[in-house]
Amino acid sequence: MFLNKSHLPATFLLTGMPGLESLYRWISFPFCFMFFMSIVGNSLILLVIIKDYKLHQPMFFFLTMLAITDLLFTLVTSPSVLGIFLFDYKVIRSQLCLLQMFFIHSLSITESSLLVAMAFDRYVAICHPLRYTSTLTSSAVAKAGLVSALRGTLIHIPPVSSLQFLPYCNGNALSHSYCLHQDVMELACHGTNTFNIMYGLAIILCTVTLDLILIVLSYILILRAVFHVTKMDRYKLFNTCVSHLCAVFLFYVPIVALSIVHRFGKQVSPLFMNIMANAYLFLPSVLNPIIYSIKSKQIREVLLQMFHGRPRDC
C-alpha cells in the first residue's frame, strides 16, 4: 500500500456520501445536472462577452476571467466526483490526487483575487466614475487577471509539494469526493506536518481573509458614496453591485465554513462535512452564470438575441 515510510500512499480512497451508498445512482443525477449547468452556463457567458463588442468593458472582462476559473474548477473536479456516484470508483492515484488538489486550491485563490478586483471595479465605477476609463484600462485589467492567476498558482506549490515527503500513518482514506490539502495532511503521522499547518494558516490569512476584508472595505466606501445621492440613483447604483455581492456570498460562505469544520469540527458527521464540501465545489460555478445572466441587462439582451433572434434595444 505504501511506497515507503516517507512518501505518499500509492493511491487514495475518496469518499462520496457516507451512509447513502445505495442511493448513489440517484444522487448522480443532480451532480450530472450541476456539472452540465456549470459547463453550459459559463461557456455561454464566455460566448456572449466574446461575441458582443459592447461588452468589452472592464466589468465583463473580469466576469470572463471568473467564468474561465469556474469552468476549469468544474473540469478538474468532475472526473473523481462522477466516478464515485456513477461507477462507485473511489480509487485515485496519489500523483493525480496532488494534481487535482493543486488546481482546486489554486483556482480557489484565483477566484478570490478576481472577486477583489471586481469589488475594486465597482468602487471606481461608483465612487470615481470620471476616472473609471483611465484607471481600469485594458492593460490594468489584464495585469489584474495575470496577478490573480500567478498568486493562486505560486502560493500552493510549496505545501502541495511538501506532502510527498511526509510519513503517513493514518491510512489512505480521504473525507471527500475530491482531494483537498487539509484532508491529505490529516493522514500524515502526528507531529510531522507542522510546516503544512502553519503555511496553510498563513495562506488563509493572506489570501481569503485579506481578500474578504478588502471587499468589505470596498463596499463600506461604496455605501458612503451612495448615501449622498437620490433614492432612485441609490437603487440603480446598488443594483449594479447585486451580482457581485451574490458571487462573494456563494464563494466565501462555503469555503469559510468548510475550513472551520476541518479545523474545529472533529465531531461533525461525515455526511454534513461532505454536503459542505460539495457546496464549496458546486455553488459558485453553477449559480454565478445564472445570477449574472439575470441581473445583467446587457448579457440578458445578447442571450435573447442569440436564442430568439430578438433585436437589441437601441
Side-chain angles (χ1 to χ4, degrees):
M1 179 63 69
F2 294 90
L3 295 174
N4 58 54
K5 288 291 262 185
S6 63
H7 290 80
L8 287 166
T11 60
F12 287 104
L13 291 178
L14 300 172
T15 300
M17 295 284 188
L20 300 178
E21 286 80 5
S22 61
L23 300 176
Y24 275 5
R25 287 299 174 89
W26 293 103
I27 295 174
S28 68
F29 287 110
F31 277 100
C32 289
F33 177 74
M34 286 187 287
F35 278 123
F36 175 78
M37 288 295 294
S38 175
I39 292 172
V40 171
N42 287 293
S43 297
L44 278 176
I45 291 290
L46 292 174
L47 181 63
V48 164
I49 294 174
I50 292 171
K51 176 179 176 166
D52 197 325
Y53 73 94
K54 293 182 180 179
L55 299 182
H56 294 179
Q57 305 169 23
M59 179 178 70
F60 295 106
F61 287 145
F62 285 127
L63 181 55
T64 298
M65 299 175 198
L66 189 68
I68 292 173
T69 303
D70 285 336
L71 193 58
L72 291 174
F73 212 107
T74 299
L75 295 175
V76 165
T77 54
S78 57
S80 62
V81 176
L82 294 183
I84 291 174
F85 293 110
L86 284 175
F87 309 109
D88 197 28
Y89 187 77
K90 302 177 181 179
V91 178
I92 182 170
R93 293 189 63 81
S94 59
Q95 296 305 316
L96 287 177
C97 184
L98 290 185
L99 188 62
Q100 184 188 54
M101 175 199 311
F102 174 76
F103 277 111
I104 287 175
H105 290 291
S106 297
L107 291 170
S108 294
I109 299 303
T110 300
E111 182 153 344
S112 180
S113 303
L114 289 174
L115 290 173
V116 175
M118 295 171 82
F120 179 72
D121 170 85
R122 292 298 84 207
Y123 162 73
V124 176
I126 292 173
C127 300
H128 304 284
L130 297 180
R131 286 190 279 174
Y132 183 76
T133 54
S134 61
T135 302
L136 287 163
T137 61
S138 298
S139 174
V141 172
K143 289 177 182 176
L146 180 61
V147 169
S148 298
L150 289 175
R151 181 194 189 208
T153 301
L154 297 178
I155 203 169
H156 281 103
I157 293 176
V160 173
S161 301
S162 68
L163 291 176
Q164 299 182 77
F165 308 108
L166 296 177
Y168 290 85
C169 308
N170 301 310
N172 67 338
L174 302 177
S175 304
H176 305 300
S177 50
Y178 50 92
C179 296
L180 292 176
H181 178 265
Q182 57 267 40
D183 206 10
V184 173
M185 188 176 65
E186 290 175 359
L187 300 179
C189 299
H190 181 69
T192 62
N193 54 6
T194 304
F195 167 78
N196 280 277
I197 292 173
M198 300 306 296
Y199 194 93
L201 181 61
I203 288 178
I204 291 176
L205 292 175
C206 297
T207 56
V208 175
T209 305
L210 177 62
D211 291 349
L212 189 54
I213 291 172
L214 292 174
I215 291 171
V216 171
L217 287 175
S218 297
Y219 276 100
I220 289 174
L221 295 174
I222 289 171
L223 285 172
R224 287 180 58 188
V226 299
F227 280 143
H228 295 90
V229 300
T230 65
K231 187 174 181 180
M232 182 62 68
D233 290 337
R234 192 180 303 165
Y235 172 78
K236 291 179 180 178
L237 291 174
F238 269 127
N239 199 44
T240 65
C241 300
V242 170
S243 299
H244 179 254
L245 284 172
C246 290
V248 168
F249 180 84
L250 289 171
F251 177 80
Y252 284 103
V253 170
I255 196 172
V256 170
L258 186 62
S259 296
I260 292 173
V261 167
H262 263 288
R263 295 186 182 277
F264 306 109
K266 300 302 181 182
Q267 305 303 318
V268 175
S269 83
L271 180 59
F272 177 78
M273 187 177 291
N274 272 274
I275 291 173
M276 289 300 302
N278 286 317
Y280 158 66
L281 184 72
F282 296 116
L283 285 181
S285 58
V286 173
L287 295 181
N288 280 343
I290 297 173
I291 292 169
Y292 276 96
S293 297
I294 292 173
K295 295 302 298 179
S296 173
K297 181 181 178 182
Q298 299 98 313
I299 291 178
R300 192 167 63 247
E301 286 178 347
V302 178
L303 285 172
L304 288 172
Q305 184 184 25
M306 287 173 58
F307 290 105
H308 299 291
R310 174 179 168 178
R312 295 185 62 174
D313 297 334
C314 298

